[in-house]
Amino acid sequence: MLTTEFMKEIEAGLTAEQKVAVAHVNGPMLVLAGAGSGKTRSVTCRIANLIHLGIPPSSIIGVTFTNKAANEMKERIRKMINRDVLISTFHSLGAKILRESAGAFGLTASFSIYDESDQEKVIKECLKECALEVSASEVKEAKTFISHCKNSLIKPGIREPLYPVFNLYQDRLKMYGAVDFDDLIYLTALSLRDHPEVLSHYQERWRYFMIDEYQDTNHAQYELIKLLVGS
């Protein structure tokens, strides 16, 4: 539970429900709240309370959706308790894990992260090599298909028309020493699932996860966090 003195410092503006969330220590807790209702404040206050209770900051991680939100959370925690905690977006977290464990995952730590322009160039190469039309509409369709597969954490079936494009595209990225933006979550989730010893390392390292915001339509995000928390 929150100590009396610390509670006095942070409880201003918190509702009764938020205080319950902030005081929660072990085990999962789901907080449902709308925009502007104080979700981020509740998360940062809980992180501050965990540190106040003696939990090492290095075992705590906060995950949100934008870099702006991550930076704001870092600053709030620093002002509240003068400690630094890893606050990351889903994609930055994936990039961190991929670079740290690149060798185990068959990657090089210096991999490039392709933007949309780079991605489209590779897709055009793949369409051409697969003897498919290389038009703006076909590139867009292939790009959407590839992104859907990755965000859904699935590999396309052999009967899928764009199956060979997907496979060739992934092979080309690997050959170029690159990943695309979706890969930061897709490859991380698949690699952790296939390498339990690496997954165990991160599960031991981060014991307390606070998810400020995520896309509930993105299955890969959900599976990545599910793996890391060990549920």
Side-chain angles (χ1 to χ4, degrees):
M1 294 296 291
L2 293 168
T3 63
T4 302
E5 290 303 315
F6 191 68
M7 185 60 175
K8 288 179 180 178
E9 295 178 13
I10 70 170
E11 70 177 349
L14 292 179
T15 66
E17 291 80 6
Q18 288 170 336
K19 290 176 185 177
V20 171
V22 169
H24 182 73
V25 178
N26 294 309
M29 170 175 276
L30 174 64
V31 177
L32 301 176
S37 58
K39 296 187 301 297
T40 300
R41 176 172 172 76
S42 298
V43 171
T44 52
C45 287
R46 183 184 180 224
I47 290 173
N49 184 54
L50 290 174
I51 295 172
H52 180 73
L53 293 174
I55 293 167
S58 59
S59 68
I60 301 170
I61 180 170
V63 186
T64 187
F65 189 63
T66 67
N67 287 317
K68 180 181 178 181
N71 290 331
E72 288 177 354
M73 288 175 68
K74 288 177 188 177
E75 287 304 312
R76 288 190 190 188
I77 294 166
R78 193 175 291 122
K79 287 179 180 178
M80 291 173 65
I81 205 164
N82 196 30
R83 300 296 294 273
D84 288 320
V85 175
L86 177 59
I87 308 294
S88 172
T89 64
F90 285 91
H91 291 91
S92 294
L93 176 61
K96 178 179 179 64
I97 294 173
L98 284 180
R99 291 199 191 280
E100 287 184 350
S101 304
F105 296 159
L107 299 169
T108 59
S110 59
F111 63 78
S112 301
I113 301 174
Y114 277 5
D115 60 19
E116 288 193 17
S117 177
D118 296 323
Q119 184 183 9
E120 288 176 2
K121 289 177 183 177
V122 179
I123 289 175
K124 288 177 181 178
E125 291 178 17
C126 296
L127 287 171
K128 185 176 181 180
E129 189 161 332
C130 291
L132 296 172
E133 182 182 348
V134 185
S135 64
S137 61
E138 292 297 325
V139 171
K140 181 179 180 180
E141 182 182 353
K143 183 180 175 184
T144 300
F145 174 77
I146 291 169
S147 182
H148 169 73
C149 288
K150 292 182 178 182
N151 289 329
S152 301
L153 208 64
I154 60 175
K155 294 182 179 179
I158 195 169
R159 294 182 182 276
E160 294 277 0
L162 291 172
Y163 167 82
V165 176
F166 180 94
N167 288 337
L168 183 58
Y169 173 77
Q170 289 302 98
D171 289 342
R172 284 293 169 85
L173 288 182
K174 188 172 183 178
M175 182 175 70
Y176 296 150
V179 300
D180 66 25
F181 197 58
D182 290 329
D183 278 333
L184 297 178
I185 298 177
Y186 173 72
L187 288 181
T188 305
L190 290 183
S191 297
L192 288 175
R193 193 165 65 187
D194 293 342
H195 295 82
E197 73 286 354
V198 179
L199 175 60
S200 178
H201 163 76
Y202 288 106
Q203 289 175 338
E204 289 294 322
R205 178 172 170 181
W206 296 316
R207 295 298 188 92
Y208 295 86
F209 276 81
M210 264 63 69
I211 312 299
D212 179 50
E213 184 178 358
Y214 82 107
Q215 289 180 304
D216 57 5
T217 57
N218 191 310
H219 184 65
Q221 288 182 11
Y222 169 75
E223 285 296 330
L224 174 60
I225 297 302
K226 185 179 178 181
L227 283 164
L228 288 170
V229 301
S231 62

